[in-house]
Amino acid sequence: MNNRNIPLFSFWGVVQILLGLGAIGVLVAKLVFGLGAITNLSDNWPWGLWVAFDIGVYIASAAGGFVLAALVYIFRIETFRPLVKPAILIAALCYTIGAIGIAVDLGRTPLIVHPLWMWQHNSIMFEVGWCVMMYLTVLYLEFSPNIFERIGFKSAAKIQHFLAIPLVSFGIILSFLHQSSLGALFLITPDQHPLWHQHMMGYLFVISAMALGLAVLTFFGLIIAKSWKLTTRLDVFAKLMPIAAGILVVWLGVRFYDLAQGGNLSAFAMDEFGALFAAEIALGAVIPIILIAIKKVRESRAGLMWISGLIILGIMLNRISTLVVSHAPARVGEYFPTVWEFIFTLGLVAGAMYVFRLAAKYLPVLSEQKAGLPASVAKMDPEVVPA
């Protein structure tokens, strides 16, 4: 299999390669010279750009994998079948770069393997670490049929098919456990600004991750369909966004209920923290929900790009604020990332995008792209399937 529409060395392909190599260079520099030499992190500001994206954005972006798997394999909603394989690959890549980022962000990187045999049952990070390791394994097992099909290993593909439902079910459980654990981690950081220090952080993290995962899948799916001249399934994406809207409504409800219950709504003020809070609520939830409610907007390519882009921006702000900015009141001085921190962060994403490009070219990742279409329509190879 060789998808000729997917170029390996286009302009953006070369940019992705260069940024990925830049990330590898920063990784080597960190291992040789240490965190202090290439970052502006300190004992006063121990968490910065890397942890915001590694633990916050990358891991949350992967949630589209378990949501799509649940919709298709558990609830049998075949409408979303064309998105399952790309969603699982995106999830696997997001977890992979998240794990790499976490390892590099540790002061003593080689010790990241300690939880394998040094069990600390009372540590929430122990649960997070094990859930990430197990779910990453499950994701690659879910993705393995693409490789088996490529190399003609039919017996292995049959075994994987037999185990598909247990794997998907186990993956959903693991996702809920560690996404919520990441949020619950902030219950032990009372130095945060009250607008982000909430009792229901565990629930808020997993709910917002589900919306972000669907938005990433939609945004990325529309871009690659346009760039690689693939059939754009507006009919599928237009049905996915109302699900994201429902999730965002729940997220808003839980968040404001929790803020009101904890008496933290009064912490809102017309300052930089109030502006950040308002931005993530408006950009990440309120405006997308309104746009999704307008049929003409959610059924157009441009409308879907705006909706998914805003959700990504809003939830990304939420993670950066929760993991880094909201701790500012308890910190002394200021923190701003070095250029190396930016290169490593962008390089991880770019590298993952290039690996997706390679997988889409040589593996049957997009083989179900026309699933659900009448044979006569699929045969015509339409540029766009309208909603």
Side-chain angles (χ1 to χ4, degrees), residues 169-197:
S169 303
F170 189 44
I172 293 170
I173 293 170
L174 289 173
S175 294
F176 270 91
L177 281 173
H178 78 83
Q179 293 280 3
S180 59
S181 296
L182 285 175
L185 175 66
F186 296 95
L187 295 177
I188 58 174
T189 58
D191 61 345
Q192 282 181 286
H193 190 284
L195 289 176
W196 287 274
H197 185 71

Side-chain angles (χ1 to χ4, degrees), residues 153-173:
F153 200 174
K154 295 181 179 178
S155 56
K158 288 180 180 177
I159 295 173
Q160 198 282 342
H161 181 74
F162 177 74
L163 296 173
I165 299 299
L167 274 176
V168 168
S169 303
F170 189 44
I172 293 170
I173 293 170

Side-chain angles (χ1 to χ4, degrees), residues 161-386:
H161 181 74
F162 177 74
L163 296 173
I165 299 299
L167 274 176
V168 168
S169 303
F170 189 44
I172 293 170
I173 293 170
L174 289 173
S175 294
F176 270 91
L177 281 173
H178 78 83
Q179 293 280 3
S180 59
S181 296
L182 285 175
L185 175 66
F186 296 95
L187 295 177
I188 58 174
T189 58
D191 61 345
Q192 282 181 286
H193 190 284
L195 289 176
W196 287 274
H197 185 71
Q198 300 187 239
H199 294 102
M200 302 179 79
M201 285 299 289
Y203 299 102
L204 290 168
F205 256 51
V206 70
I207 295 169
S208 56
M210 292 166 69
L212 177 61
L214 296 183
V216 167
L217 183 59
T218 302
F219 191 80
F220 192 61
L222 290 169
I223 287 178
I224 64 170
K226 180 76 173 178
S227 302
W228 297 342
K229 297 180 174 57
L230 307 172
T231 299
T232 303
R233 295 297 300 269
L234 293 183
D235 57 328
V236 178
F237 290 123
K239 292 174 181 171
L240 196 62
M241 283 298 95
I243 297 174
I247 294 170
L248 289 172
V249 168
V250 173
W251 181 62
L252 282 178
V254 173
R255 187 161 190 191
F256 279 95
Y257 170 79
D258 195 28
L259 283 171
Q261 284 291 102
N264 290 344
L265 274 177
S266 58
F268 181 83
M270 299 302 289
D271 57 11
E272 63 271 31
F273 294 104
L276 266 178
F277 179 81
E280 67 178 54
I281 293 295
L283 297 176
V286 175
I287 297 175
I289 290 170
I290 294 172
L291 292 177
I292 292 169
I294 303 171
K295 183 179 179 183
K296 187 177 179 180
V297 175
R298 73 167 180 271
E299 292 185 349
S300 69
R301 187 203 301 262
L304 287 166
M305 288 290 289
W306 272 104
I307 292 167
S308 53
L310 285 171
I311 295 173
I312 293 170
L313 180 60
I315 304 299
M316 189 171 71
L317 277 176
N318 171 261
R319 291 302 194 267
I320 294 173
S321 298
T322 303
L323 275 78
V324 181
V325 180
S326 63
H327 298 270
R331 302 284 184 258
V332 176
E334 297 179 346
Y335 160 79
F336 191 80
T338 64
V339 65
W340 309 115
E341 290 176 80
F342 282 110
I343 290 175
F344 185 70
T345 302
L346 291 174
L348 281 181
V349 177
M353 292 174 74
Y354 195 78
V355 172
F356 185 96
R357 181 188 294 261
L358 285 172
K361 186 172 182 65
Y362 294 113
L363 298 175
V365 175
L366 305 173
S367 61
E368 294 178 335
Q369 188 192 18
K370 297 174 185 172
L373 291 176
S376 57
V377 176
K379 189 177 180 181
M380 292 170 62
D381 199 18
E383 181 180 343
V384 176
V385 178

Side-chain angles (χ1 to χ4, degrees), residues 51-68:
V51 78
F53 276 81
D54 303 339
I55 294 179
V57 179
Y58 298 154
I59 296 295
S61 298
F66 86 83
V67 176
L68 260 293

